[in-house]
Amino acid sequence: MGNCNQVQADESEEAQRARAVDLELAALEAQEENNFKILLLGAGESGKSTVVKQIKLIYKGGVSKKEREEYASAIRRNCIESMQTLLEAMVTLKIQFADENLIPVGEKLEDLGTEGTLTEELSFEIDSLWRDAGLQECYERRDEFWLLDACNYYFENAIRLGEDDYVPNDEDMIMTRVRTTGIVVTEFDDDINKYQLVDVGGQRSERRKWMHCFDDVKAIIFLEGLSSYHQVLFEDSSVNRMHESLQLFGDVVKNPIFEGTPIFLFLNKKDLFEDMIKKTSLKTCFDDFEGEEGTAMPALDHIKAKYNAVMQQHCPGKDLEISIVAARVRMDMKIAFADVKDSIKKLYKSKKLYKKPK
């Protein structure tokens, strides 16, 4: 009888331990259900870093004083380097200054190299260069060379950026271009859910690092700048940016690691696109475009169809949610990212993730 009681006691203790382990595993599983790792992918200059900055401002309440100081330094460099790029392009395209008095000003700026600082004096000189008709002629031909999309913002605000007591505002930070190298992880909470937004560099040299981010990904946001249909790569001026993006998108969606992973496409820079499409046909990128020229919607539909075709080629029947955004606009990002959060929560709760047909 005593041995029987001992066996029952041992079984009771073992059952309690088993229940404790089950409860712990259930708690971990429940916690994991509320953790969402979102991978932010796209070619260089697509706007991934702008999305990250907006998410920080929306969900984390802004940036630190140190970050703001770093943005001040970066946007001043953006201003100088963008003007240097235009001055180099003027030589290549054989365009002259309308005002010959600006020739030594341009030479002085070119001689600064990569170490120049945006002083108050230099900011007024950049402002003068920007107003020159010859330089504006070069700017109008910017599709023929690589140039930062936001350069006109830097030039139009050059005098303010050069002030001794300059402190960047939120829009300045959004417009600042800092090339992403390595992996940048932004974490934030929203109610009971925890999010990790993982951004990696989009230039070709940075893409080998993407593999390190592929574990436990709950969703992918793929970015493409709409204005890229008439722009070239930073790394190779012979390659159209949108063609590169479509190829990269195909590489992502056909990766077996992401078979069941929801993929969201953000077609970014709609503001630049709406201006560009009035002057430059989408046929410069896609010769099969037959829509109405000079209007945005037919061209947008054609671009969306191109990405959907890539998705269906590699993952028949898989949904692709597409948002048309200007990442620099806070409300655009607030709405688009809220849609992503709602969609992935519903998908993982219902467990209706995509499976490739056999």
Side-chain angles (χ1 to χ4, degrees), residues 2 26 41 48 57 68 108-109 133 152 180 183 193 202 211 233 247 267 270 285 287 302 319 322 345:
L41 300 180
K48 298 188 304 299
L57 291 168
R68 205 171 284 270
K108 171 187 170 183
L109 191 65
N152 60 325
T180 304
I183 299 166
N193 300 303
M211 289 295 292
L233 290 184
Q247 181 178 335
L267 293 177
K270 66 178 183 182
C285 183
D287 57 14
H302 193 80
D319 290 335
I322 303 177
K345 282 187 287 187

Side-chain angles (χ1 to χ4, degrees), residues 246 249-251 253 305-315:
L246 279 163
F249 183 70
D251 292 340
V253 301
K306 290 289 183 183
Y307 281 91
N308 268 313
V310 172
M311 175 65 89
Q312 296 311 310
Q313 177 187 350
H314 298 296
C315 300

Side-chain angles (χ1 to χ4, degrees), residues 186 200 353:
T186 302
V200 288
L353 298 177

Side-chain angles (χ1 to χ4, degrees), residues 116-152:
T117 301
L118 188 66
T119 61
E120 193 167 339
E121 178 185 357
L122 184 59
S123 69
F124 276 92
E125 290 173 340
I126 287 175
D127 181 70
S128 297
L129 290 168
W130 176 238
R131 296 175 189 281
D132 182 78
L135 193 130
Q136 285 294 321
E137 179 187 343
C138 182
Y139 177 71
E140 288 300 315
R141 294 175 62 180
R142 61 192 178 279
D143 57 291
E144 299 177 42
F145 55 94
W146 180 87
L147 184 67
L148 287 176
D149 287 329
C151 68
N152 60 325

Side-chain angles (χ1 to χ4, degrees), residues 38-52 197-199 202 207 210 220-226 228 241-242 244-246 248-249 252 263-269 307 320 323 325-328 333 336-337 340:
I38 301 174
L39 200 54
L40 200 56
L41 300 180
E45 314 300 325
S46 58
K48 298 188 304 299
S49 297
T50 304
V51 171
V52 172
L197 189 62
V198 183
D199 175 26
R207 293 175 198 166
W210 289 13
I220 291 171
I221 297 175
F222 190 94
L223 259 87
E224 169 58 345
L226 285 165
S228 69
R241 283 194 206 175
M242 190 164 283
E244 174 88 354
S245 174
L246 279 163
L248 181 59
F249 183 70
V252 171
I263 297 178
F264 301 84
L265 176 64
F266 283 9
L267 293 177
N268 185 27
K269 305 185 183 183
Y307 281 91
L320 176 63
S323 297
V325 300
R328 62 177 288 188
M333 285 313 309
F337 197 75
V340 170

